[in-house]
Amino acid sequence: MIARPALTLRGIRKSYPGVVAVDDVDLDLYPGEIHALVGENGAGKSTLSAIAFGETRADAGSVEASGTVGLVHQHFELVGRLRVWENVLLGREPRRGWRIDETAAHERVRAVAERNGLAIDPDALVEGLPIGVQQRVELLRELDREPSVLLLDEPTAALAPAEIAAFFATVQRLAQRGTAVMIVTHKLQEVIAYATRVSVMRHGTIVARMETATTSVDAIARAMVGGDLPGVAAREATQPTPCLTIEALCAGAGETRIEGLHLEVRAGEIVGIAGVEGNGQSTLADAVAGMIGYDGRIAFAHPRATLGVIPQDRQREALVMPWSIVENVVLGRQDRPGIRRGVVIDRAHALADAQRIKERFDVRTPSLDVPVRTLSGGNQQKVVVGRALIDSPDVVLAYNPTRGIDVGAAALVQSRLMEARNRGAAVLLISFELDEILALADRIAVMYRGAIVGDFERSNVDRAAIGRLMAGLSNA
Amino acid sequence: MKLRRTLAGPLGAIILLVVLMSLAMIVAGTSPLDGFAALFQGALGGTSQIGETLVATSALLFPALGIALAFRGGLFNIGAEGQLLIGALFAGAVGAQLHLPGWLGMIVLLALGALGGGLWGAIAGWMKARFNANEIIATLMLNFVAAYLSLALVNGPLRGPLATGAETAWLDQRYWLPTLLPGSRLSIGILVALAFALVLYWVFTRTVFGYKLRAAGDAPEAARRAGIDIGRITWISLALSGAIAGVGGATIVTGELHRFNTQLSPGYGFIGIAVALVGDLQPLWICLAAFGFGILEAGGLAMQASAQVPKDAIHVIEGLIILVLAARRYVAARTETAAV
Amino acid sequence: MKVKSLAALLAAATSVLSLAACGHHRGPAPGQLTLGMVTDVGGLGDRSFNDSAYRGLLMSKARLGAYIQVLQSRSAADYQPNLTALTNLHFGMVYAIGFLMGLDLDQVAKQHPQQRYAIVDAVIDDPNVVSITFREQDGSFLAGALAAMVSKTHHIAFLGGQDIPLIEKFQAGYIAGAREIDPTIKVDVKYAGSFDDVAAGKEIANLLFGDGADIIYTAAGKVGLGAIDAVKSHDHDYIIGVDSDQDALAPGRVLTSMVKKVDVAVFDVAKSLRDGKPMHGHVVFGLKDGAIGLTDFKYTKQDIGAANLARLHAIQAAIVSGKIVPPSTLKALAAFRPVPL
């Protein structure tokens, strides 16, 4: 490429107490390219993109941009109680006198959405929207500013397969119009499929720069981990016996309502729920976890059966972010014998548990006393999964257990789930990533509009048929 | 680094306090040097002075500890004033009619204080848990109910025969808490307060209840999913919060005033919010903060008496600091929950 | 950043402090007579005995060169802290104004045996407390006699604050004085149940006037101010004020005031301290000390008439000489018989 770079980073260095997050990185982004930035959790990707966006100041080095830089966060920064158009134009509302010109605002949001092929209702309240749609709002907000450089942090982590294709179509259109796009991601298939170039980060430096046309998922992954990938634990033979039975389940309301759902999960097997987000998966998970009321029957094989839950939103539903790892390891287990001794918490026990999780899950942290807020997403998720599995529960409920975490951490989490199955746990795996379900599940149930619309044994899986069922085409 | 961050708030508050008080003194026509000399002399210049400071410390420590307990559970209890008053009312009303051995009577009266304040807190907690009423509004409004209820009762059936204001009769001398510091008004009430601080420290750091409380406060959704009954935690923590403030009210009655008066608190329940926040909601730091505010209370009166700076100036300034600290904390909590 | 701004604030604070350090010092001079006073809930501006006591303090300042300081109490809960605060500043004498403070002063006085206190209207049995009381029944006797002379309806009234021994002295003396002049006179007695409910005072006064009483003697603190407000719209009725000279509050309608010169007592106590012979124990002030008496009838001389005034003087002389002993309790009142002069 001969064009002048839209964004130039030179000699960027940034350290936090005890860690060098980014160490002497050079990077150029050219107009019209889709540049993937990959690396394991903690490799420095987020810090680098925050520096590029101007959110974080580098200790050393220079950042030069030819125009505005937009950033779409992995964790959305939307105001739930405002409407879509209000969020998109927040702070830049068209005015008529001292009032907001609502007509013009609607028109502008509609136009930006149309131009970029993003379908959205400008009047919807953001808090009621599925995550995938919320992301479109976030994206629209940046696109409205016509950025010359667009940074996307894990943009597809929350999207269904069909949405992912549409999303990349949008991104490619943007690139063709001359925007420089940088995607921070873990999904290497997407990198190969849609990006033009890829930079791999490890321990704060860029260790490889490749053209996607001449590389492979394997090569990128090896560069990321600095060697061969850890494999997922082997599937062992088990004797499945009924463990969790769901009959005629009705729960929830609106689009995510479940109506007459039947499902059986047996000990020693993983049942994967495939489906596009927003088809009642969270309602199913909440009902099984006992978080909402329901009609019908959810029965465990024995009355004292224990349940380990990996919630979908680790930061809000699973962890107390300002607390230490040790304290978080107690959460949800505070009344269990062993942890609870009379009216007090047995701290030695909690510390031993945390130590065990740290070792078994390779949680990378300077100490078990640091707030989980300071851990990378992958390490946070390892704590959550470790806690869910530490008491060897009879039933495991895993909701997108590897969302937004790097390949190494994901492989580890998947291995532990497989091991739980191998020792005889009944695992209910709800995931929006079909690949994950295909890799782990013994049986696959497809969920669409609050019901199970298809059922596949591992031995006769038909990926195309599953895809059609997920999209609501019933004559599979 | 971390120390600097934790100290920045309270330290900033202290500096702000010094600057504002200096201005108030200048406005009142007194040199700040004289003013502060009078303040510290009046607060720490002798046994009786230290006694007065510790009397105020004790009066502030109870509501501040109660407030801290509620705040740690994510509940903005600003009703400590009313809870303290009702606790004092229970102790004063019953104390005037009691026929028990002295030591037993004292324990009964403090327990009654806990009961009264706890009841007042529990009402707000029940309203929140049952009807999802905003606890800020519920506790605030209950302050007024407490004030008018106690006024009506003490002007009516509970009025002491010789009382000229809204007061009950005096307690029999055998129920007066023993003096801790001879030559001062300081009773052993402050030891009760310090014991509460230690117990609370233990509750927060060691117990399952404290753990659940903090979880409910720091991450309500994660706490709910961890099987913690948020509604139960809500009313229990508000009841306990009120009970601690109520014991404070009872110690004022049995320790210093020896009868109930509707005006017995010059706003301890509100200043207690500042004490709790300056103490970073940590019981042991709160003891230190209460001592600081006790110096202001006792020294402020001495300053008024010797340097003609109205004590109210100090209350105005304290109010400003409460506002700044509370707003900061509330905004921080709001933005954290909003960033979903 | 944070630390820098803190440092800036600190610097600002220090400069403010040093700039302002040139302000003048207002504390007492070494060796100066120092007098502190704690008002009761009536506070300064009650136009009654808190104000009267304060006048005594001002008198001490003017004539004895005393350094004075007043702490006002907003509620009874302030008494102990206020008394202790003045104690801690080592005032030569700390005055507690009003019997309301009796039990609180007793407690504080026991905690500080080295400090001198004076209390008005109560008797506290502590060696370091001077108890100042007045023979209110003497002045009230004169007020009752005058009321009986002036009343056209042979029907007068008494409005008390609260039914307590102190006010009983006013009531007994007043009724006895009225009977001295007119043994069959009707005297209505009402209590407001408070010393500060001005509205109640006005209401009760209107009620008493409506029942036919044409003169009301108020012994009720601020409640009396309500009664004085009421009499402004009654052209033929009178109020007799109390404690301070209240004649000017409704000129011509306040017949006289039974003045209790707390200022005289406060000054005398201060003077005894200055002279090195401090009063102690229970000190009673009466007619002969000039601490109790009626006003000089500035607005009402015409209404009363010279003959009545002469008669009043005779009664006063009889009380001073001991020929008449006004009763101080209702029990003593029952035994009281008019003394022929």
Side-chain angles (χ1 to χ4, degrees):
Chain A
M1 295 201 186
I2 319 153
R4 222 168 71 85
L7 181 73
T8 308
L9 305 180
R10 284 287 173 273
I12 301 294
R13 185 190 300 274
K14 174 78 189 176
S15 53
Y16 292 106
V19 222
V20 179
V22 176
D23 190 6
D24 196 15
V25 165
D26 296 341
L27 189 68
D28 293 311
L29 290 185
Y30 291 94
E33 77 163 327
I34 299 177
H35 192 122
L37 183 65
V38 299
E40 294 200 87
N41 288 319
K45 305 178 306 263
S46 300
T47 307
L48 189 62
S49 48
I51 289 169
F53 179 56
E55 198 173 51
T56 304
R57 194 190 293 257
D59 297 340
S62 67
V63 179
E64 277 174 47
S66 65
T68 52
V69 178
L71 173 66
V72 178
H73 284 94
Q74 177 178 3
H75 299 289
F76 309 147
E77 302 191 329
L78 298 172
V79 184
R81 291 187 191 174
L82 293 185
R83 300 185 183 283
V84 166
W85 70 264
E86 290 171 312
N87 266 289
V88 170
L89 300 180
L90 198 64
R92 305 188 302 270
E93 302 88 349
R95 285 167 185 280
R96 195 163 53 196
W98 48 273
R99 295 183 53 202
I100 293 174
D101 186 344
E102 290 201 24
T103 333
H106 271 86
E107 209 34 62
R108 189 159 131 199
V109 171
R110 213 182 294 277
V112 179
E114 223 157 80
R115 196 163 62 235
N116 294 290
L118 294 167
I120 200 153
D121 170 12
D123 276 322
L125 264 185
V126 162
E127 62 188 354
L129 295 174
I131 291 179
V133 181
Q134 288 192 13
Q135 189 196 26
R136 277 181 227 160
V137 179
E138 187 95 10
L139 186 59
L140 278 174
R141 186 160 75 187
E142 294 307 318
L143 293 179
D144 178 66
R145 296 167 52 195
E146 306 273 348
S148 59
V149 179
L150 185 61
L151 310 177
L152 303 165
D153 192 3
E154 297 288 350
T156 60
L159 303 188
E163 288 178 313
I164 291 173
F167 172 79
F168 275 108
T170 305
V171 172
Q172 280 172 330
R173 255 196 311 274
L174 273 174
Q176 276 158 20
R177 292 217 310 267
T179 311
V181 180
M182 182 170 86
I183 298 178
V184 178
T185 185
H186 289 119
K187 298 186 176 178
L188 302 185
Q189 277 96 350
E190 289 173 10
V191 172
I192 297 291
Y194 302 107
T196 45
R197 286 200 301 155
V198 53
S199 295
V200 181
M201 280 191 90
R202 193 166 79 235
H203 300 317
T205 57
I206 292 184
V207 293
R209 299 168 199 266
M210 302 179 249
E211 301 282 331
T212 51
T214 59
T215 189
S216 66
V217 169
D218 253 17
I220 299 173
R222 269 200 301 278
M224 271 170 67
V225 296
D228 286 323
L229 264 181
V232 173
R235 184 181 307 273
E236 293 169 10
T238 54
Q239 267 104 40
T241 52
C243 188
L244 168 66
T245 310
I246 301 171
E247 285 171 3
L249 181 70
C250 299
E255 290 195 355
T256 57
R257 178 167 172 81
I258 290 178
E259 195 73 62
L261 182 139
H262 290 264
L263 189 67
E264 185 173 74
V265 187
R266 289 171 293 180
E269 80 173 358
I270 297 178
V271 172
I273 303 287
V276 176
E277 177 168 29
N279 278 289
Q281 293 98 323
S282 55
T283 311
L284 172 63
D286 284 349
V288 171
M291 287 296 114
I292 54 171
Y294 56 85
D295 292 323
R297 201 168 86 94
I298 296 177
F300 295 92
H302 30 276
R304 296 244 179 90
T306 51
L307 176 69
V309 181
I310 301 164
Q312 65 170 321
D313 184 340
R314 64 175 163 266
Q315 300 204 340
R316 202 172 72 88
E317 296 174 347
L319 295 171
V320 183
M321 299 302 278
W323 287 10
S324 70
I325 297 173
V326 178
E327 285 201 293
N328 270 289
V329 160
V330 174
L331 196 66
R333 308 165 63 228
Q334 64 274 353
D335 287 319
R336 298 229 170 123
I339 290 274
R340 182 181 184 133
R341 216 179 43 202
V343 297
V344 300
I345 286 173
D346 186 338
R347 300 209 300 176
H349 194 293
L351 187 64
D353 283 353
Q355 193 61 43
R356 226 167 90 212
I357 289 172
K358 176 180 186 275
E359 280 158 18
R360 263 182 68 71
F361 283 81
D362 187 26
V363 179
R364 297 192 193 152
T365 171
S367 137
L368 292 171
D369 291 321
V370 299
V372 293
R373 168 166 39 80
T374 63
L375 300 182
S376 68
N379 282 312
Q380 289 173 358
Q381 187 68 359
K382 288 174 186 172
V383 172
V384 172
V385 177
R387 183 182 67 198
L389 299 180
I390 191 169
D391 292 319
S392 304
D394 301 311
V395 179
V396 177
L397 171 60
Y399 201 111
N400 274 340
T402 61
R403 172 161 165 185
I405 65 177
D406 64 73
V407 282
L412 191 84
V413 165
Q414 291 173 349
S415 287
R416 296 293 173 260
L417 286 173
M418 185 61 80
E419 285 161 13
R421 166 207 175 270
N422 290 346
R423 69 156 171 80
V427 179
L428 178 57
L429 170 68
I430 299 173
S431 176
F432 303 150
E433 288 190 47
L434 193 50
D435 288 329
E436 178 167 64
I437 290 179
L438 292 174
L440 292 180
D442 294 286
R443 285 193 297 127
I444 298 170
V446 182
M447 205 167 167
Y448 180 75
R449 295 215 172 147
I452 301 296
V453 293
D455 211 328
F456 298 83
E457 288 293 331
R458 182 169 184 79
S459 50
N460 58 3
V461 160
D462 176 350
R463 192 179 178 126
I466 293 174
R468 280 197 299 279
L469 285 168
M470 283 168 67
L473 305 170
S474 52
N475 53 343
Chain B
M1 186 76 190
K2 200 184 161 202
L3 187 69
R4 208 167 71 187
R5 176 128 17 112
T6 47
L7 283 184
L11 200 64
I14 289 169
I15 291 171
L16 189 67
L17 187 73
V18 169
V19 171
L20 291 175
M21 276 170 55
S22 302
L23 289 176
M25 289 171 192
I26 292 166
V27 169
T30 303
S31 130
L33 286 184
D34 286 348
F36 280 109
L39 189 135
F40 284 107
Q41 178 68 27
L44 304 167
T47 308
S48 176
Q49 283 85 341
I50 291 170
E52 286 299 291
T53 297
L54 292 178
V55 163
T57 302
S58 169
L60 289 170
L61 191 47
F62 282 106
L65 290 172
I67 286 162
L69 186 142
F71 275 32
R72 288 295 282 267
L75 297 162
F76 289 86
N77 174 16
I78 51 176
E81 183 76 4
Q83 291 148 9
L84 181 146
L85 198 64
I86 294 292
L89 177 70
F90 271 43
V94 176
Q97 332 278 337
L98 208 59
H99 300 285
L100 282 175
W103 60 271
L104 185 61
M106 289 177 211
I107 294 173
V108 166
L109 292 183
L110 293 190
L112 277 166
L115 182 70
L119 180 72
W120 223 241
I123 294 174
W126 176 75
M127 284 167 71
K128 166 116 185 164
R130 181 81 180 72
F131 306 111
N132 199 24
N134 183 318
E135 81 279 5
I136 299 179
I137 294 170
T139 52
L140 179 68
M141 289 302 148
L142 281 167
N143 283 336
F144 294 104
V145 180
Y148 288 112
L149 178 71
S150 59
L151 194 63
L153 286 175
V154 173
N155 268 332
L158 296 179
R159 185 169 190 144
L162 288 182
T164 46
E167 289 198 327
T168 61
W170 279 56
L171 264 57
D172 191 292
Q173 202 157 346
R174 68 199 142 133
Y175 305 130
W176 296 10
L177 292 183
T179 301
L180 183 65
L181 196 60
S184 81
R185 296 197 295 133
L186 186 67
S187 75
I188 59 164
I190 192 162
L191 299 183
V192 180
L194 291 174
F196 268 91
L198 287 174
V199 169
L200 215 54
Y201 174 77
W202 175 76
V203 167
F204 285 163
T205 55
R206 295 279 194 275
T207 67
V208 175
F209 172 75
Y211 182 87
K212 291 178 177 174
L213 177 85
R214 290 186 294 120
D218 290 344
E221 184 55 26
R224 193 176 73 87
R225 286 177 181 270
I228 295 167
D229 185 340
I230 305 282
R232 207 172 111 92
I233 291 283
T234 295
W235 78 258
I236 290 181
S237 60
L238 278 175
L240 286 178
S241 172
I244 299 173
V247 174
T251 60
I252 293 175
V253 169
T254 55
E256 286 103 37
L257 225 49
H258 304 135
R259 80 278 199 191
F260 173 79
N261 180 290
T262 53
Q263 303 286 318
L264 60 73
S265 164
Y268 291 132
F270 294 115
I271 305 169
I273 298 173
V275 176
L277 291 177
V278 170
D280 200 24
L281 306 186
Q282 316 273 359
L284 305 184
W285 284 112
I286 289 173
C287 293
L288 209 61
F291 182 65
F293 277 83
I295 289 177
L296 285 185
E297 278 294 309
L301 188 58
M303 197 175 70
Q304 175 176 348
S306 69
Q308 267 102 37
V309 180
K311 190 183 170 220
D312 295 322
I314 287 190
H315 282 144
V316 170
I317 294 160
E318 279 176 1
L320 278 174
I321 288 171
I322 298 175
L323 206 66
V324 171
L325 288 175
R328 228 183 51 164
R329 195 164 190 99
Y330 189 72
V331 166
R334 269 295 150 105
T335 44
E336 229 160 74
T337 49
V340 173
Chain C
M1 272 299 281
K2 259 265 150 74
V3 166
K4 250 189 212 163
S5 55
L6 284 185
L9 259 175
L10 199 62
T14 334
S15 59
V16 163
L17 277 173
S18 46
L19 264 179
C22 47
H24 58 110
H25 185 78
R26 294 216 272 184
Q32 195 179 2
L33 175 65
T34 51
L35 307 173
M37 163 177 152
V38 177
T39 73
D40 76 359
V41 286
L44 294 183
D46 69 347
R47 302 184 190 184
S48 185
F49 69 87
N50 283 304
D51 277 354
S52 181
Y54 186 54
R55 279 198 298 277
L57 230 51
L58 290 175
M59 236 151 73
S60 310
K61 183 181 177 183
R63 297 197 210 153
L64 308 174
Y67 172 86
I68 62 170
Q69 182 56 255
V70 179
L71 286 182
Q72 303 201 53
S73 307
R74 250 169 287 186
S75 81
D78 286 344
Y79 296 157
Q80 288 179 28
N82 282 348
L83 289 168
T84 310
L86 292 177
T87 304
N88 289 344
L89 292 168
H90 310 296
F91 277 83
M93 176 68 73
V94 174
Y95 292 90
I97 307 306
F99 71 96
L100 304 181
M101 246 174 281
L103 289 167
D104 291 300
L105 177 64
D106 182 37
Q107 211 175 300
V108 173
K110 285 191 166 71
Q111 286 156 357
H112 302 283
Q114 77 295 345
Q115 171 70 46
R116 288 181 194 282
Y117 299 94
I119 185 161
V120 174
D121 276 351
V123 181
I124 300 298
D125 194 16
D126 289 311
N128 54 334
V129 176
V130 190
S131 302
I132 301 167
T133 61
F134 295 87
R135 294 183 55 87
E136 290 90 353
Q137 65 272 29
D138 293 3
S140 299
F141 191 91
L142 289 177
L146 178 65
M149 292 175 209
V150 175
S151 174
K152 297 196 171 62
T153 57
H154 295 280
H155 184 174
I156 59 174
F158 175 81
L159 170 55
Q162 279 185 286
D163 192 359
I164 52 174
L166 173 67
I167 302 304
E168 192 181 334
K169 284 156 87 180
F170 289 82
Q171 186 188 340
Y174 178 66
I175 297 174
R179 288 188 188 151
E180 171 75 26
I181 301 300
D182 180 357
T184 61
I185 194 162
K186 183 176 177 194
V187 186
D188 283 345
V189 175
K190 282 269 187 285
Y191 277 91
S194 131
F195 284 100
D196 48 18
D197 191 345
V198 179
K202 184 168 182 176
E203 207 172 298
I204 296 172
N206 279 324
L207 205 74
L208 290 169
F209 287 138
D211 285 350
D214 60 353
I215 298 172
I216 305 172
Y217 177 36
T218 62
K222 280 187 178 170
V223 174
L225 298 179
I228 290 172
D229 200 29
V231 84
K232 286 175 183 165
S233 50
H234 291 79
D235 285 345
H236 304 287
D237 300 329
Y238 297 99
I239 292 290
I240 298 176
V242 79
D243 292 343
S244 291
D245 184 345
Q246 297 180 321
D247 295 5
L249 295 182
R253 298 266 58 83
V254 178
L255 188 63
T256 182
S257 299
M258 202 294 278
V259 180
K260 188 163 131 184
K261 293 192 170 156
V262 179
D263 50 350
V264 170
V266 164
F267 178 81
D268 283 359
V269 168
K271 189 165 178 298
S272 75
L273 184 66
R274 206 262 326 246
D275 295 344
K277 291 173 287 190
M279 293 182 186
H280 53 87
H282 182 189
V283 184
V284 182
F285 289 83
L287 277 179
K288 61 172 175 286
D289 310 294
I292 284 284
L294 301 184
T295 56
D296 55 7
F297 320 108
K298 186 175 171 192
Y299 305 101
T300 51
K301 260 189 194 118
Q302 305 301 321
D303 299 8
I304 299 169
N308 283 338
L309 286 179
R311 219 175 148 193
L312 207 56
H313 273 294
I315 295 171
Q316 181 166 347
I319 297 172
V320 171
S321 72
K323 195 171 170 196
I324 297 177
V325 182
S328 62
T329 62
L330 294 181
K331 205 171 151 205
L333 174 65
F336 176 79
R337 295 291 170 267
V339 180
L341 291 177

